[in-house]
Amino acid sequence: MSTSSEIKPSTVLVLAATGKTGRRVTALLGEAARPASRSSATKFDWADADTWEPALAGTTAVYVVPPDNPALLFEFVPLAVKAGVTRLVLLSMRGAPDDDPFEAAIKDSGAEWTILRPTWFMQNFDEDMFAAPVQHGELAVPAGQGIHPFIDVLDIAEVAVAALTQPGHSGQTYELSGPEALSFAEMLARIVAVTGNPVLYTDVAAEEFAASMRGLGYPDEIADLVTMLLIRIRTGEEAHLSDGVQRVLGREPRTFADYLGSSKFA
């Protein structure tokens, strides 16, 4: 079985390398990684196609964090294959339809491909959209008492590295989740138990939440997507567990307690 240590240095292009999954994939790959982003030494910008070919030169695999527009991915993928890329691993999301255009661009590439469909990230509570509200003492989302098996981003990164560096993952779509489904109120209570700082959970109307996201500068399509996904949690559509972590890594996913112990809350 091949491992990242047997792969030549800088041959796995990691897109969005400063992001939550990208920087962890980069760290796990070590010298095999070529981290790329708008602020990395290797420049990559979905909005600037002139950065694509230099980033791809000499690489054989790509960890793909997709752009907002699937048309850009359909332009990038043939360029990657032409440059010698033989393996593509796409960060998708739970609930993506089978005809999802982002996934289609990867599946139609002619290269070996793997699709990752994770649930919401645990790290959203200390690194992303929920971090500021939690810090300020109130998180307001339209999720009701719905439960969801949030996943530790490090589990996603480890699955991605396996798919990028080991055989046996071509043509696979992995549904990834954490080991337990919790409500927002339960997760916040566990955060409070660690930090000692009170955080109120408030259930709000979908329209109010979407408007608040727009007020923070999120584009309409992102505000609408996030709101829709939270409504799916509210209605119970996102409560089920997935076994992708177990299938790939041969172990149970990290728990919310594991995440808290290694997070900024610890």
Side-chain angles (χ1 to χ4, degrees):
M1 179 179 293
S2 63
T3 66
S4 59
S5 63
E6 296 169 332
I7 296 174
K8 294 179 181 180
S10 194
T11 55
V12 181
L13 180 63
V14 180
L15 302 186
T18 58
K20 288 190 294 298
T21 64
R23 70 174 183 271
R24 291 170 170 88
V25 169
T26 295
L28 290 170
L29 284 170
E31 290 186 355
R34 180 182 297 173
S37 70
R38 285 176 293 184
S39 58
S40 300
T42 297
K43 303 296 182 185
F44 186 92
D45 187 344
W46 284 113
D48 182 3
D50 289 340
T51 64
W52 300 358
E53 284 193 67
L56 285 164
T59 62
T60 57
V62 184
Y63 176 64
V64 182
V65 178
D68 294 335
N69 184 351
L72 293 174
L73 194 56
F74 274 101
E75 292 179 23
F76 171 77
V77 167
L79 199 65
V81 173
K82 183 180 179 181
V85 169
T86 59
R87 187 173 296 191
L88 297 164
V89 176
L90 174 72
L91 180 67
S92 185
M93 66 178 186
R94 173 182 272 193
D98 289 335
D99 62 351
D100 179 77
F102 297 96
E103 294 187 2
I106 300 298
K107 292 177 179 178
D108 296 342
S109 65
E112 295 183 3
W113 58 264
T114 307
I115 306 295
L116 310 183
R117 291 181 176 177
T119 56
W120 285 69
F121 302 166
M122 294 178 185
Q123 279 74 8
N124 286 342
F125 287 96
D126 70 326
E127 295 183 20
D128 201 359
M129 66 175 64
F130 302 146
V134 168
Q135 185 175 6
H136 291 129
E138 181 180 10
L139 178 62
V141 295
Q145 295 306 310
I147 58 176
H148 184 73
F150 278 64
I151 188 170
D152 191 310
V153 170
L154 187 54
D155 284 337
I156 302 171
E158 289 187 11
V159 170
V161 169
L164 287 162
T165 64
Q166 298 173 5
H169 303 291
S170 179
Q172 296 293 316
T173 296
Y174 292 121
E175 302 281 349
L176 308 174
S177 83
E180 56 186 343
L182 302 169
S183 69
F184 275 87
E186 289 172 319
M187 289 181 284
L188 291 177
R190 296 185 184 194
I191 291 172
V192 171
V194 170
T195 65
N197 300 320
V199 184
L200 175 67
Y201 169 61
T202 303
D203 180 31
V204 295
E207 297 78 9
E208 180 180 343
F209 177 78
S212 70
M213 286 200 70
R214 294 186 183 95
L216 292 171
Y218 287 95
D220 288 350
E221 59 270 21
I222 299 299
D224 292 342
L225 174 62
V226 172
T227 302
M228 179 272 290
L229 294 173
L230 287 165
I231 292 298
R232 287 178 60 87
I233 295 177
R234 183 189 195 97
T235 57
E237 298 172 75
E238 295 297 328
H240 61 283
L241 304 183
S242 300
D243 66 354
V245 172
Q246 295 91 323
R247 289 171 59 198
V248 177
L249 302 179
R251 61 163 177 79
E252 290 298 307
R254 291 173 173 84
T255 65
F256 198 71
D258 293 331
Y259 152 69
L260 289 175
S262 61
S263 72
K264 296 175 183 176
F265 298 120

